[in-house]
Amino acid sequence: MADLSSSASPRHSPQTGVKHDNATQVARPMVFRGGGFAPKSQPLVTAVAILALLAFWQAATILWSISPTFLPSPERVGRSLWRMIETGELWRHLSASLYRIGWGWFLGTVFGVTIGVMIGLFTVARAVGAPLVAALYPVPKIALLPLFILWLGIGEGSKVATIGLSVFFPTVIATYAGVDAVPRNLIRMAQSFNVPLWRIVWSLLLPGALAGMLAGFRISIAAALLVLVAAEMIGAQFGLGAFLILTGNMLQTDKLMAGVVVLSAMGLTASWLVTLIERRVLHWR
Amino acid sequence: MELALTGITHHFGALKVLDNVSITARDGEILALIGPSGCGKSTLLGIAGGLLAPSEGQVELRGTRGPDTLNEITYVFQDFALLPWASVRDNIAFALKHHGLSRQAMDARISNALERTGLSEFLDAYPKQLSGGMKQRVGIARALAVRPAVFLMDEPLSALDAQTRELLQEDILDLWERDRATIVYVTHNFQEAIRLANRVVVLSRRPGRVREVIEVPIPQKDRQRPEHQAQIQGLAERLWSLIRDEARDADRELING
């Protein structure tokens, strides 16, 4: 501003060009240049987009008379899903899958959290555990199924164990990362009040690590679903994986897709449950 | 109670941070520790409260503890160190639970501590809902609840804005005037030191040594009075002249690891 007022008549200044003179004389409004980078969720847009996609799919199968074996219409998929529910076929497979993934996830999580807390707490556990976990985490756990079949038999045990293992590793990592992320000054605070170790673990480290653990649950659920389907595809009479292989072999594409829808619903439900727990226990964030 | 540190020397690896520091916080006084950044003030306070083991030297607590003291030496932290998932009440309860108090005794301690820090209506609030000043009041209430004989305050007001700092200085003095607990008060703010302390220990740059101990001979409650301003100003200038050059050197130092 000082520059503007001091050069009272820049028009007559021989040093500066005409264009520049005009620019300094005009009072310009500030141009808005912020905004953006703040995407929001829009449930209505989401719903419309999904419906449009389904409508397009349905229309395409009719318009170009695509063979239902090659690509069944959403309507056909919906009908066969309904039929499977009515006849109890779905439940027969779903219950077998839920049993396996339930036990596998539970056991993997219990052991994973325990070992994760130990690695987060004790030097020896970390020195031994962390490299082992790092080495075994990237191994696709389904590769170990033959080994587990050898050890535990072809029954439920080998499948539950493989799922459990696939849950165990991401849980260990999420848990000890969560424990590591608990600020050390909080622990010093607890020590300065003579809080005993078990209470530091129970009332400080575990709540502090909970956010990381819950984020780990999302990953471990996805891993469990993957291994569940793969294991059931390899050797099971019932279960969603077995169902997918069976319907695929018999070219029952509509049933196959209905199975995929059920799997997606399982994943979404699990993820929704985690969100529900997060809202409940992490309300302080 | 009196807290005596004798011949404290401390190394972090090859780095010597404290060199033969001996200071005693007398019973019922506020002793300020002041010095340029990185002079080991906080390390010294960690050693004083048993959170750090010194390389050499010892810490001694002398005197008799009060009958309802649960924890003789208690900290107030710069970053408040509150459990973010716990309400104000539960944050204070965290410091009490393992002492096997009855439910009534614990509640009485909590409500007393909250009352003294003006937090009674915030009993169920969570830390994220509180301003910085209120968070530190919770930190102070938590310390009060265990009725310590010695408070170790590690730059308790450094994370707060200037106005809040002023308010909390008054609060801390009010609390202290009533109980006359011993307070060791680490700060890098020499005006704060002169406002609060009976004696100010000036530490040198790393490795920290005691450079000088300066007495502030005016009672705390009179220090705002106009007739003492000249003397206060003189003390402030003296402190600043002691710290100034070293603060500049410390400022220009590269930070290693």
Side-chain angles (χ1 to χ4, degrees), chain B residues 24-102:
Chain B
T24 301
R26 297 172 191 151
D27 184 37
E29 81 168 342
I30 301 180
L31 183 74
L33 286 180
I34 190 165
S37 49
C39 73
K41 307 186 282 284
S42 294
T43 308
L44 191 61
L45 207 66
I47 290 169
L51 289 182
L52 262 174
S55 309
E56 284 167 49
Q58 61 244 348
V59 183
E60 231 177 13
L61 203 55
R62 300 173 188 145
T64 45
R65 63 192 272 172
D68 50 0
T69 297
L70 297 177
N71 192 4
E72 285 169 324
I73 299 197
T74 299
Y75 283 88
V76 175
F77 297 90
Q78 177 177 0
D79 53 11
F80 323 129
L82 302 179
L83 308 177
W85 52 83
S87 65
V88 167
R89 184 192 185 282
D90 292 344
N91 260 290
I92 299 172
F94 181 74
L96 300 173
K97 265 185 184 158
H98 54 285
H99 288 291
L101 300 168
S102 73

Side-chain angles (χ1 to χ4, degrees), chain B residues 4-18:
Chain B
L5 287 80
T6 325
I8 303 288
T9 296
H10 195 67
H11 301 264
F12 286 122
L15 191 69
K16 193 180 203 177
V17 285
L18 290 168

Side-chain angles (χ1 to χ4, degrees), chain A residues 101-102 104-106 109 163-164 166-168 170-171 213-229 263-275 277:
Chain A
I101 200 171
W105 189 82
F106 174 74
T109 299
I163 294 167
S166 75
V167 168
F168 173 79
T171 306
M213 276 156 53
L214 283 167
F217 285 179
R218 288 183 195 280
I219 297 170
S220 71
I221 287 167
L225 268 175
L226 184 87
V227 171
L228 168 78
V229 171
L263 275 175
S264 166
M266 275 174 75
L268 283 177
T269 308
S271 168
W272 171 73
L273 281 175
V274 173
T275 307
I277 297 171

Side-chain angles (χ1 to χ4, degrees), chain B residues 10 19 52 87 90 109 129 131 137 149 166 205 207-208 218 223 229 231 250:
Chain B
H10 195 67
D19 184 18
L52 262 174
S87 65
D90 292 344
R109 275 175 187 263
Q129 299 173 286
S131 69
R137 285 190 176 90
E166 192 63 36
R205 251 180 93 199
I218 311 160
R223 287 183 193 175
Q229 288 320 298
Q231 198 180 353

